[in-house]
Amino acid sequence: MNFEKINQLITNKVLVIITLVLWGSVALGAIWFEGKEVASRSLKLNIFVITMVIIGIVIIFLLQRFFTIKQAMLIVLVASFIIKLIWVLRIDTQPTSDFLVLHNAALKAASGDFSFMKNNYFLNWPYQLGFVLYEAGIIRIFGTSVMIIKFINIILSLFIALIIYLLGKQLFNQKIGLIGLTLVAFYPPFIFYTNVLTNQYIATLFFYIGFYLLIKYDTWGMVFCSGLFLGLGNIVRPLGPFIILAGLLFIIFYKNHAKYHSHWLTKLILIIAILSGYQLVVSGVNVSVQATQISQYKLENRSNTWKFVTGLNYETNGMYSNKDLQLLDKYPIGRQRDKVGRKIIKERLSDETQLMKLFVKKSFIMWSYQDSALSWSGARQKVTEKNYQVLLAVQMLFYTLMICLSVVGVFRLLFQKRQSGQLFMILMIGYFLVHLLIEIQTRYRFFIVPTLLLFSAIELNSILSRNNRKRSSISNEGEK
């Protein structure tokens, strides 16, 4: 038995099982949290929210049954655009927190002033310059109105939905692709975040285009292009090293078409291609910003231990710690600060019992609890408390159902003859494990959510298909 067959029999199953264990625990946590929320909400609100979800499922069923794929896609995208545009116009949120720092820097950069790079924020994290330049480019072309960036967020969100359709079609079938597109188009936080000046939309679009090219094609040229898009995503949101590692594992274990004489030569060529494309973008941008004296540093994290120091903080459950930041800021950026950071990390890793408790708490907070999208959107100041609670309830029920359906969708892959979705399971596992160690915020879910929605589309399609078969059977019996 050759390597490819052993790989198909063993590694696929192991990958699915690990994904099920990790994300199954997330699903259980989400059910528990949603159960507490349901118990605390009024009966009227619960009935309304459940009705909204049922209506959504019925709409997906009707789209599949009475429209062609292209017609359904057009209806979904237009409806999503209108809803998001209304949201952006109705909830006029101004930048806050990090988003305000980045936007103010972009305003200066657009006029050629890069003095902000001497600010402690950018000295610590010069990788933030990538998104600043993106915003500055928009400001140079369209002007200083934040509404332009929000409108672009809407357009980018629709393209993310389109990429999920293409991925669903490539990995499974058109119906799953359509359901995935619909779920992404109407996923509540993806609506709420459109009025936030976040780097998530542009970065996620680039990353998923890269994933699509890597999955669909086996030629060095297209895999090189995949690397280019992954590099572009990394410029605006530095997830590149993690994503490239996932891509390399995917090529080594699951790219088994012998495009270039042999399997192993093909794998080697594709590895070189994706690394070359990625490094071309990353190195090119780094050289450019330094050569033009925009920044004296590469787009990197110079406070190397910060994410781990705060991510292992028991007092804050791995979330942002101002106390940790003030402690590290006492030391100059470089070896001395890193030494202090490593000492704190070592101390926090030494208590295994406390560490396990922290990991459990972090995983629940990061993956099972309410998303902070509405908070970041500033909706509480713009809508009534009653409507705000409705939005929160819809968001949480949608997320809970999505998590549960995605776990069942992954489970179904155990029994498929044609193995697919391995890259996304690698990403799900890796992204989950990374956030056990580093700082967590629920808005960091954004990147992996399209993957979860794609897997949930598998099970939702199965449910709708069973219903179609029952209807067909009833119809046939009536004709006899």
Side-chain angles (χ1 to χ4, degrees):
M1 186 177 288
N2 60 30
F3 173 82
E4 285 72 31
K5 288 185 178 180
I6 295 174
N7 171 53
Q8 187 174 2
L9 289 172
I10 300 175
T11 62
N12 280 292
K13 308 299 182 186
V14 170
L15 200 60
V16 171
I17 290 168
I18 295 173
T19 306
L20 288 174
V21 170
L22 296 179
W23 288 90
S25 68
V26 170
L28 291 174
I31 291 170
W32 176 79
F33 182 77
E34 176 62 11
K36 287 181 63 179
E37 290 295 299
V38 168
S40 67
R41 292 195 295 253
S42 68
L43 178 61
K44 185 178 179 181
L45 178 55
N46 284 325
I47 291 173
F48 175 78
V49 171
I50 293 170
T51 302
M52 291 290 290
V53 172
I54 292 172
I55 290 172
I57 294 172
V58 170
I59 289 172
I60 293 175
F61 171 75
L62 294 176
L63 286 170
Q64 278 195 334
R65 187 168 180 82
F66 297 108
F67 297 91
T68 66
I69 294 291
K70 289 184 179 179
Q71 288 172 340
M73 288 173 63
L74 182 61
I75 292 170
V76 168
L77 292 175
V78 170
S80 178
F81 174 81
I82 292 171
I83 291 170
K84 289 169 181 173
L85 184 60
I86 292 172
W87 177 262
V88 164
L89 294 174
R90 175 71 177 82
I91 311 297
D92 183 20
T93 305
Q94 295 304 306
T96 59
S97 188
D98 287 8
F99 304 122
L100 179 60
V101 173
L102 297 175
H103 186 63
N104 286 339
L107 290 170
K108 290 184 177 181
S111 61
D113 179 7
F114 292 94
S115 59
F116 61 85
M117 289 304 296
K118 296 177 182 178
N119 179 294
N120 192 52
Y121 181 88
F122 289 97
L123 288 174
N124 274 288
W125 304 293
Y127 64 77
Q128 298 284 19
L129 177 61
F131 185 63
V132 168
L133 293 176
Y134 162 77
E135 278 195 299
I138 294 173
I139 292 168
R140 285 288 295 271
I141 297 170
F142 299 106
T144 59
S145 172
V146 294
M147 193 60 68
I148 298 297
I149 299 175
K150 294 177 182 180
F151 181 80
I152 291 174
N153 281 348
I154 295 174
I155 302 302
L156 293 175
S157 72
L158 300 182
F159 276 108
I160 293 171
L162 278 171
I163 289 296
I164 293 303
Y165 164 75
L166 293 174
L167 281 163
K169 178 183 175 183
Q170 175 66 28
L171 291 171
F172 308 110
N173 58 55
Q174 274 192 318
K175 287 186 177 181
I176 291 175
L178 175 61
I179 294 172
L181 175 142
T182 306
L183 294 176
V184 171
F186 297 113
Y187 179 60
F190 283 6
I191 297 172
F192 302 151
Y193 278 124
T194 50
N195 65 356
V196 180
L197 306 190
T198 174
N199 58 3
Q200 299 274 17
Y201 287 103
I202 183 65
T204 301
L205 177 60
F206 282 146
F207 286 138
Y208 278 81
I209 291 174
F211 299 153
Y212 175 70
L213 295 176
L214 179 59
I215 290 169
K216 183 175 176 62
Y217 299 101
D218 297 303
T219 60
W220 74 267
M222 296 309 292
V223 174
F224 175 83
C225 290
S226 170
L228 290 177
F229 278 103
L230 297 180
L232 287 170
N234 184 70
I235 294 301
V236 287
R237 180 155 177 74
L239 298 176
F242 154 72
I243 287 173
I244 282 294
L245 177 59
L248 293 179
L249 290 173
F250 176 69
I251 292 172
I252 291 169
F253 288 101
Y254 303 108
K255 277 287 189 182
N256 293 320
H257 296 291
K259 186 72 176 180
Y260 302 99
H261 302 294
S262 72
H263 293 294
W264 289 107
L265 180 58
T266 299
K267 291 176 188 292
L268 178 61
I269 290 172
L270 297 185
I271 287 171
I272 293 172
I274 194 171
L275 289 175
S276 299
Y278 174 81
Q279 201 58 47
L280 178 65
V281 171
V282 173
S283 296
V285 172
N286 283 332
V287 169
S288 298
V289 298
Q290 289 180 298
T292 55
Q293 297 184 334
I294 291 175
S295 171
Q296 65 182 112
Y297 304 107
K298 296 186 293 183
L299 274 62
E300 61 184 356
N301 183 359
R302 296 185 64 231
S303 188
N304 296 316
T305 59
W306 158 248
K307 284 284 185 181
F308 295 95
V309 167
T310 191
L312 294 171
N313 188 313
Y314 305 125
E315 295 176 1
T316 63
N317 292 323
M319 293 182 282
Y320 174 82
S321 168
N322 193 54
K323 183 179 177 181
D324 281 341
L325 183 61
Q326 290 177 348
L327 176 61
L328 291 178
D329 274 347
K330 292 179 180 178
Y331 305 92
I333 298 171
R335 291 183 180 180
Q336 190 176 0
R337 178 185 291 192
D338 290 345
K339 183 178 179 180
V340 172
R342 284 193 294 269
K343 182 180 179 182
I344 296 171
I345 292 169
K346 188 175 180 180
E347 289 173 355
R348 292 176 178 176
L349 288 173
S350 62
D351 189 337
E352 295 180 4
T353 302
Q354 190 79 347
L355 189 64
M356 290 302 106
K357 290 180 181 178
L358 176 64
F359 286 168
V360 171
K361 287 181 181 178
K362 286 185 69 177
S363 64
F364 277 121
I365 293 169
M366 178 67 188
W367 303 113
S368 299
Y369 287 7
Q370 188 73 263
D371 195 296
S372 60
L374 268 176
S375 176
W376 283 106
S377 73
R380 193 156 216 155
Q381 290 75 42
K382 304 292 182 179
V383 300
T384 64
E385 183 62 24
K386 180 181 177 181
N387 288 336
Y388 186 81
Q389 293 303 321
V390 169
L391 291 172
L392 275 177
V394 170
Q395 173 185 272
M396 190 59 206
L397 182 57
F398 192 119
Y399 180 74
T400 302
L401 289 174
M402 175 200 73
I403 286 291
C404 294
L405 288 172
S406 66
V407 170
V408 179
V410 171
F411 179 73
R412 285 189 175 278
L413 298 180
L414 276 173
F415 309 102
Q416 276 193 350
K417 290 183 178 179
R418 178 185 172 228
Q419 299 298 322
S420 54
Q422 298 96 333
L423 174 59
F424 293 113
M425 283 186 281
I426 293 171
L427 289 167
M428 285 173 69
I429 293 168
Y431 206 62
F432 182 97
L433 295 177
V434 164
H435 284 89
L436 291 179
L437 298 174
I438 67 171
E439 177 199 0
I440 60 168
Q441 292 189 48
T442 55
R443 64 188 173 99
Y444 296 162
R445 293 176 186 172
F446 194 111
F447 161 76
I448 205 67
V449 163
T451 292
L452 301 176
L453 292 171
L454 181 58
F455 281 125
S456 64
I458 298 173
E459 178 57 20
L460 193 51
N461 178 66
S462 177
I463 294 170
L464 295 175
S465 297
R466 283 199 297 271
N467 185 63
N468 278 333
R469 285 196 295 270
K470 287 179 181 178
R471 288 173 62 89
S472 177
S473 175
I474 293 169
S475 176
N476 289 336
E477 288 175 7
E479 292 172 0
K480 290 179 181 178

